């Protein structure tokens, strides 16, 4: 029997000892899952930054990205067993499919900016920026949804570490090069980022009918 988002979140909260506030709807259930689902999209880019491809300080930053992702991913899946895990993966796939075009547009804008660098650095910079952007989105969603026992916002250290490490890695990869980027390219990237953010929020508000 297929499990919906509400049942998934309720069982996940029970497994992790989390307390849900008020009555949970499909929208609020998706909001709870959104930070983790965004990081699942980010993993597509983290995989493009394998530790073996770097040396010295860059290797340290790439390793930090992978370790931080694994930490939050393990925290999530540690509370899921069998059907719960299958349903979570299916939901991740559904989100990725619904925002695929917006992600592609944003990535293309990144390529247009970083094409000033030769390969493999260009591809690494694109993957690093997309990782940073998605980790920032996951972090913002986390702060909005997850609260402490007394109701205060919380921050996820893993997403913060991914952001810091991906930014530092990009700085190292750029070296001392000072490549100018056309202003319109930057505007295109900002527009693409905004569109992607809207799509991610819209996903939490969709009904089953909206998705087909």
């Amino acid at each position: 029997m297929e499990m919906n988002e509400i049942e998934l979140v309720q069982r996940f909260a029970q497994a992790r000892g989390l307390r849900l506030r008020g009555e949970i709807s499909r929208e609020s259930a998706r909001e709870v899952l959104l930070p983790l689902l965004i990081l699942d999209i980010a993993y597509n880019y983290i995989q493009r930054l394998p530790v073996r491809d770097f040396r010295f300080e860059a290797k340290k930053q790439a390793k930090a990205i992978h370790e931080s992702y694994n930490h939050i991913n393990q925290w999530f899946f540690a509370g899921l067993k069998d059907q719960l895990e299958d349903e979570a993966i299916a939901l991740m796939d559904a989100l990725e499919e619904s925002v695929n075009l917006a992600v592609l547009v944003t990535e293309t804008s990144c390529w247009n900016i970083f094409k000033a660098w030769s390969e493999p650095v260009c591809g690494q910079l694109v993957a690093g920026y997309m990782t940073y952007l998605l980790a920032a989105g996951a972090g913002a969603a986390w702060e909005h949804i997850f609260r402490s026992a007394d109701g205060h916002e919380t921050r996820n250290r893993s997403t913060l570490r991914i952001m810091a490490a991906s930014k530092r890695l990009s700085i190292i990869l750029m070296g001392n090069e000072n490549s100018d980027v056309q202003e319109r390219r930057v505007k295109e990237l900002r527009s693409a980022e905004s569109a992607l953010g809207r799509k991610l929020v819209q996903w939490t508000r969709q009904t089953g009918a909206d998705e087909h």
Side-chain angles (χ1 to χ4, degrees), residues 79-110:
L80 305 179
K81 300 296 181 183
D82 301 329
Q83 186 186 4
L84 281 172
E85 184 170 341
D86 291 341
E87 292 294 338
I89 292 172
L91 203 56
M92 288 176 178
D93 291 342
L95 170 61
E96 189 167 347
E97 183 178 350
S98 70
V99 300
N100 183 57
L101 180 58
V103 172
L104 180 60
V105 170
T106 306
E107 182 180 338
T108 300
S109 295
C110 287

Side-chain angles (χ1 to χ4, degrees), residues 3-211:
M3 185 181 303
N4 62 35
E5 294 95 324
I6 296 175
E7 293 170 309
L8 176 59
V9 166
Q10 288 174 332
R11 291 180 62 177
F12 171 70
Q14 184 179 22
R16 299 303 298 169
L18 302 175
R19 184 160 61 94
L20 299 173
R21 297 177 182 272
E23 184 177 353
I24 189 164
S25 64
R26 188 177 186 191
E27 179 179 337
S28 61
R30 285 189 168 204
E31 288 180 343
V32 170
L33 297 169
L34 187 59
L36 302 152
L37 302 181
I38 294 174
L39 285 176
D40 184 63
I41 298 173
Y43 185 62
N44 295 327
Y45 297 98
I46 293 173
Q47 286 182 304
R48 301 184 195 177
L49 300 170
V51 176
R52 66 176 180 274
D53 284 0
F54 304 99
R55 299 179 64 190
F56 309 122
E57 179 63 20
K59 185 173 184 177
K60 177 182 176 182
Q61 301 306 324
K63 186 176 180 181
I65 292 171
H66 285 269
E67 288 179 345
S68 300
Y69 173 82
N70 289 338
H71 181 268
I72 189 170
N73 197 53
Q74 288 167 4
W75 174 84
F76 178 58
F77 279 101
L80 305 179
K81 300 296 181 183
D82 301 329
Q83 186 186 4
L84 281 172
E85 184 170 341
D86 291 341
E87 292 294 338
I89 292 172
L91 203 56
M92 288 176 178
D93 291 342
L95 170 61
E96 189 167 347
E97 183 178 350
S98 70
V99 300
N100 183 57
L101 180 58
V103 172
L104 180 60
V105 170
T106 306
E107 182 180 338
T108 300
S109 295
C110 287
W111 281 106
N112 288 335
I113 284 180
F114 293 119
K115 64 183 180 182
W117 283 265
S118 59
E119 290 290 3
V121 175
C122 177
Q124 292 167 340
L125 288 171
V126 171
Y129 187 82
M130 291 297 294
T131 296
Y132 174 87
L133 175 64
L134 290 162
W142 182 284
E143 290 178 35
H144 176 67
I145 297 301
F146 289 88
R147 304 280 171 152
S148 64
D150 54 1
H152 289 93
E153 290 182 355
T154 62
R155 305 183 76 186
N156 187 281
R157 292 182 180 179
S158 294
T159 59
L160 293 175
R161 194 177 181 211
I162 291 172
M163 290 170 62
S166 57
K167 184 176 182 179
R168 178 59 185 159
L169 177 61
S170 295
I171 291 172
I172 295 169
L173 292 174
M174 287 179 181
N176 295 322
E177 295 184 41
N178 184 22
S179 299
D180 293 328
V181 178
Q182 293 178 345
E183 185 178 349
R184 74 177 178 85
R185 294 296 189 194
V186 177
K187 287 183 177 180
E188 288 172 1
L189 178 58
R190 294 293 175 257
S191 296
E193 290 173 357
S194 297
L196 176 56
R198 289 194 298 271
K199 286 289 290 184
L200 289 167
V201 172
Q202 287 169 3
W203 176 81
T204 66
R205 299 169 182 170
Q206 288 174 336
T207 65
D210 295 331
E211 294 170 346

